[in-house]
Amino acid sequence: MVQFGDIWEVFKVLAKAGGIASIHAEDNDIVMHMYEKLLREDRMAFENMAEVHNTLSEDLAFNRVIRLAEKVEAWRST
């Protein structure tokens, strides 16, 4: 797992070099909450992992990553 501040710094370097980033992001708080929930419910089987790594988790994380990228673009134009 990479902290968002570090991702932001990498985005700045990539932007300066004209690079492209490929990101896989999930919200760790949501993922861990769901692991704990499934563990309490004794539902830790593979077929339930989509509930842990869910679209809400990805949506929250990607919105943060997109905001970082937008700020890098704003940073570049100043």
Side-chain angles (χ1 to χ4, degrees):
M1 184 168 47
V2 179
Q3 295 181 355
F4 281 99
D6 294 333
I7 294 169
W8 187 31
E9 296 301 328
V10 168
F11 279 177
K12 290 177 188 178
V13 172
L14 286 170
K16 192 173 186 177
I20 297 174
S22 176
I23 304 288
H24 171 87
E26 294 182 81
D27 184 277
N28 192 56
D29 289 341
I30 296 293
V31 169
M32 295 312 296
H33 168 79
M34 291 306 298
Y35 269 124
E36 292 165 5
K37 182 178 189 290
L38 278 130
L39 185 59
R40 283 191 309 269
E41 296 172 358
D42 195 28
R43 297 190 313 123
M44 290 295 289
F46 178 77
E47 61 267 14
N48 299 319
M49 288 301 106
E51 292 181 53
V52 173
H53 303 278
N54 56 53
T55 55
L56 173 61
S57 166
E58 292 175 349
D59 181 61
L60 292 170
F62 269 101
N63 278 311
R64 287 184 76 185
V65 169
I66 289 166
R67 293 287 294 148
L68 288 176
E70 290 170 345
K71 293 300 178 186
V72 168
E73 194 59 38
W75 171 80
R76 285 183 61 198
S77 62
T78 60

